[in-house]
Amino acid sequence: MQREDEAIEKAEKARKRAPETPPPTEPTPEPQPQPRDFNEVMQGFAEEARRRGEGGTRGAEAPQGGGDIYTDTSLNAPAGGGFDWRKVDQLRYEGVPLKGVREILADKRDSQLFNEYFLTSLRPPEVRGGLEGLKLRYAEERPEPEDMKFMGAAADEFSYRLHLAEQKKLEVADVELLARRGDSFFATLVKHEGYGQEGLKRATEIANSAILYNAMTKPDGAQKFLADLQSLSRNRDSSRYKESEARRQEIGKSVGVSVRDYEKVFRLDTEANRRASKDYLEKKIHEQAGKFRRMLDWMDSDNPEIGRKFVRLPGSLPGSSRWAAERAVQKAELAGKDYTYHLSLSNALKTIDTNLKDIATYLGPAINKPEVRTLIAREALTNQNQRLASEGGPESFEQVQQLSRGACSQQSIEQRIRERMRERDWPKGNTPDDIAAQNSIVRDMARAERHEYAGGGFFAWLFGMLFGQNWNKAANGALGRPIRI
Amino acid sequence: MTTTMNKEELGAFYDKLAELTEHGTEGDVRTYVDHYYPRLPETVRNEILFGALADAVHDLAREEAAVEQVIEEGLSAAEALQQAKEQIQRSQKNGLT
């Protein structure tokens, strides 16, 4: 491990000593001045720019436009929360209070987020020498126009991500609700942060600071997380939700299903009772869901002979409640008048009453319990055979395994690196410059791929860990020397 | 008081976790992470906890949307049935059958 560190350090030093592709007019800067703290340099540069009247509060800003060298936006599409500094979509920043580089660096928290998390998480800028080259030129106070353009765009993107993270803060009650979902991994882990309100408070603080960190490094994941949070609060606060609540209560009342009848089923006081209640409910809900579906089938069955007799009223859309009502009425009438339907009028009334009770019980007071809602939702999602959306990285253990055995296995990665090594512009020599250039290319490849699979959930984290390991091993194998990605 | 893993231990933790991920089950991975969680460095713990939180929020939001859909469908069906019932009762009252 020590030898590996030394080799890496040596290569890095060599890389810092000489820019990778020095322009012919510029001699290799030697000896290298002692690198200064990046913040200090940036602040100094911003001050200088201000004195020269080149920038306002947004010190390192550069004019838009310029060559469009980098055109592959598939990994950094702005719609997904990515960032392509050459193709900035200004609409993305509408309504966002934009900060300039100088302003960002003047704030302790912002400066740390910008330097330690935000800049390093970006796909390396396509400027001479990548991010390291850019930092070096700033350290030498000779940034190039492209460097300035990148830093200006980066400041805008940073402001956007900060704004995104500050939109919603979790409350202790939110974390408590999530911690009650006993089978989630979060509920398991949150116990380590301490019990009771103290533990929840600590977990809430961690979660809120993690939102900020994630917005900086994985905006897709953070954006999705915030969207989920917003959709939850929107559902609960909406007038539609309240209206549906009132309708449910009305139906329960009309068929005599009281809150108490169903409430007594739930005993959540002890672990054993909770489990027993859940087992019972799972069974019950499964049965009810079956009945419910059969009832809908009954209403929906499309006997062609009966179907021809249906006359839809204007304005009733298939699938709407009015349409369903019309069909139910017509079927009920047919049941009374047309014995080809094999259902007597009294039987039709009986069926209706039974089904109404079933629905009222199914949708009734029980649905207000989080545990029950979860069961109902899972049943519904299973019935609909819904699959998890896979935007922004793996979202299930199976996806992680699939990727780590396929496209992101050590063998696949090694093959990609070897293919790249066969290209004409691969630096083939063994000089420190060649090694530094090789490392830079391989790291860029890894970063670009990492962006493709970035996500915010636990499985994305797990995959990220595996991805790093496989890349390290593959790069070591392909290059025949230690390299840390 | 548990001690935080040192660099070597953390490396071993990642190696074992990678092995479990490739050849084990989700349950194995969860149990393993849960067991060593208190000894992980704070930054790693925070990343894992946020990941698990994001999953829990995502699942909850997804489930809530599904429940809302079930409620809406159920209410539509119940209202349709109530109307049908009223229609039949009117028919009976008028002596049509």
Side-chain angles (χ1 to χ4, degrees):
Chain A
M1 182 64 88
Q2 199 184 346
R3 221 175 51 195
E4 184 187 329
D5 285 346
E6 279 169 10
I8 290 166
E9 203 180 312
K10 205 173 158 187
E12 285 299 329
K13 272 185 185 165
R15 186 180 176 188
K16 278 181 184 168
R17 264 202 310 275
E20 283 154 29
T21 49
T25 50
E26 279 181 23
T28 305
E30 217 169 15
Q32 177 67 35
Q34 192 65 29
R36 285 197 282 153
D37 173 63
F38 185 57
N39 272 6
E40 191 190 332
V41 172
M42 290 299 295
Q43 277 166 326
F45 171 72
E47 280 302 316
E48 178 63 26
R50 191 178 56 80
R51 275 200 302 276
R52 288 196 304 228
E54 286 174 4
T57 49
R58 302 177 59 198
E61 198 177 49
Q64 294 293 317
D68 191 15
I69 301 163
Y70 176 63
T71 53
D72 176 14
T73 57
S74 58
L75 300 177
N76 285 334
F83 171 63
D84 179 355
W85 66 283
R86 290 188 187 275
K87 287 185 174 178
V88 174
D89 177 7
Q90 289 300 333
L91 283 175
R92 179 174 168 84
Y93 306 131
E94 218 171 61
V96 176
L98 296 177
K99 295 182 176 197
V101 176
R102 193 157 57 92
E103 192 182 343
I104 292 166
L105 297 177
D107 182 277
K108 198 180 166 194
R109 181 202 68 170
D110 288 359
S111 156
Q112 191 187 12
L113 287 171
F114 187 75
N115 287 323
E116 290 180 22
Y117 301 115
F118 172 72
L119 280 182
T120 50
S121 75
L122 295 179
R123 189 178 175 133
E126 303 75 22
V127 294
R128 199 161 55 85
L131 186 61
E132 291 304 315
L134 178 143
K135 283 187 172 183
L136 188 69
R137 285 188 291 280
Y138 270 108
E140 293 169 359
E141 298 189 13
R142 52 176 185 89
E144 294 172 357
E146 287 285 274
D147 300 340
M148 292 161 69
K149 185 180 171 185
F150 169 77
M151 288 300 280
D156 286 353
E157 178 65 16
F158 173 82
S159 308
Y160 166 77
R161 294 187 188 185
L162 200 60
H163 181 66
L164 179 75
E166 286 171 344
Q167 274 175 16
K168 170 91 186 162
K169 285 239 183 298
L170 281 174
E171 303 294 332
V172 172
D174 299 326
V175 174
E176 190 172 11
L177 171 73
L178 295 164
R180 278 179 66 188
R181 294 166 59 79
D183 58 349
S184 79
F185 196 35
F186 177 72
T188 308
L189 295 180
V190 81
K191 287 176 191 146
H192 292 295
E193 300 303 333
Y195 288 93
Q197 285 300 307
E198 200 52 44
L200 288 172
K201 205 175 148 195
R202 191 173 140 66
T204 310
E205 279 167 17
I206 292 172
N208 280 324
S209 63
I211 293 173
L212 202 57
Y213 166 79
N214 272 271
M216 289 300 133
T217 55
K218 301 166 195 158
D220 286 351
Q223 205 159 25
K224 201 166 136 208
F225 173 73
L226 291 163
D228 285 337
L229 272 182
Q230 273 162 356
S231 91
L232 273 180
S233 50
R234 198 168 44 238
N235 278 347
R236 287 293 162 92
D237 299 338
S238 70
S239 55
R240 197 175 149 210
Y241 178 81
K242 284 169 192 153
E243 187 207 339
S244 127
E245 183 82 10
R247 283 162 72 197
R248 269 163 46 204
Q249 281 177 10
E250 198 183 311
I251 290 169
K253 214 169 160 185
S254 74
V255 291
V257 174
S258 78
V259 174
R260 256 170 295 167
D261 286 347
Y262 229 76
E263 281 283 307
K264 65 187 174 194
V265 173
F266 303 105
R267 292 191 55 196
L268 305 174
D269 49 343
T270 66
E271 185 65 37
N273 282 340
R274 273 198 292 277
R275 206 177 311 120
S277 297
K278 282 180 91 169
D279 289 348
Y280 171 80
L281 274 168
E282 199 150 16
K283 191 167 164 268
K284 194 82 187 156
I285 284 165
H286 185 74
E287 287 168 8
Q288 296 285 9
K291 280 187 187 176
F292 180 51
R293 280 195 301 278
R294 281 199 295 279
M295 189 274 300
L296 287 175
D297 287 346
W298 174 70
M299 282 175 58
D300 229 19
S301 64
D302 220 350
N303 184 321
E305 281 181 34
I306 299 169
R308 275 198 295 274
K309 295 178 189 172
F310 290 160
V311 182
R312 233 177 272 155
L313 294 173
S316 64
L317 298 168
S320 69
S321 58
R322 189 173 175 192
W323 183 70
E326 284 159 16
R327 296 194 73 172
V329 169
Q330 285 162 337
K331 281 195 180 183
E333 282 180 341
L334 284 166
K337 290 174 187 169
D338 183 348
Y339 287 95
T340 57
Y341 192 60
H342 304 300
L343 192 69
S344 73
L345 197 58
S346 58
N347 275 347
L349 272 176
K350 206 173 153 191
T351 308
I352 287 172
D353 276 342
T354 310
N355 282 317
L356 268 173
K357 272 200 170 173
D358 283 347
I359 295 173
T361 311
Y362 189 61
L363 301 180
I367 218 160
N368 287 332
K369 294 256 176 218
E371 291 86 351
V372 184
R373 288 178 79 89
T374 300
L375 290 174
I376 290 170
R378 283 178 191 169
E379 178 73 31
L381 290 169
T382 309
N383 291 333
Q384 290 166 22
N385 195 24
Q386 286 196 3
R387 294 187 62 205
L388 285 169
S390 56
E391 292 166 13
E395 290 187 355
S396 70
F397 186 69
E398 290 70 29
Q399 285 176 353
V400 175
Q401 282 191 322
Q402 211 178 350
L403 282 169
S404 65
R405 287 171 186 163
C408 298
S409 67
Q410 188 187 331
Q411 291 78 7
S412 300
I413 297 166
E414 195 168 328
Q415 198 181 340
R416 287 198 290 282
I417 299 172
R418 287 185 190 280
E419 276 167 19
R420 180 68 185 84
M421 288 167 73
R422 282 195 287 272
E423 286 178 23
R424 283 180 65 190
D425 64 340
W426 177 260
K428 289 190 172 64
N430 282 320
T431 66
D433 283 0
D434 291 328
I435 289 172
Q438 289 167 5
N439 289 353
S440 176
I441 292 170
V442 172
R443 286 191 180 120
D444 280 1
M445 284 173 75
R447 278 191 197 169
E449 286 192 18
R450 193 184 277 279
H451 270 269
E452 196 175 351
Y453 300 111
F458 173 72
F459 295 110
W461 174 85
L462 189 64
F463 176 71
M465 180 274 305
L466 207 61
F467 178 90
Q469 285 218 333
N470 287 352
W471 259 93
N472 277 329
K473 288 178 196 163
N476 290 353
L479 298 173
R481 61 179 169 79
I483 170 176
R484 198 179 297 153
I485 301 296
Chain B
M1 185 78 181
T2 50
T3 50
T4 305
M5 286 181 189
N6 61 30
K7 201 176 163 188
E8 283 71 32
E9 287 172 327
L10 189 62
F13 168 81
Y14 283 138
D15 284 344
K16 181 70 185 168
L17 187 57
E19 189 193 316
L20 285 174
T21 307
E22 290 203 43
H23 306 294
T25 64
E26 184 177 345
D28 296 336
V29 167
R30 278 189 179 204
T31 308
Y32 185 72
V33 173
D34 181 36
H35 182 77
Y36 286 104
Y37 182 87
R39 292 200 54 217
L40 290 169
E42 195 177 350
T43 48
V44 180
R45 274 208 321 265
N46 290 356
E47 278 181 10
I48 295 175
L49 190 71
F50 179 77
L53 172 74
D55 288 342
V57 169
H58 180 60
D59 286 348
L60 185 60
R62 204 168 129 261
E63 286 175 13
E64 287 289 301
V67 170
E68 292 312 314
Q69 199 184 332
V70 167
I71 291 173
E72 195 48 50
E73 283 174 5
L75 286 174
S76 299
E79 281 158 3
L81 285 172
Q82 277 180 325
Q83 285 185 37
K85 191 177 168 183
E86 284 163 20
Q87 181 81 22
I88 293 170
Q89 282 167 339
R90 270 202 300 277
S91 303
Q92 278 180 325
K93 208 174 175 182
N94 295 336
L96 291 177
T97 55

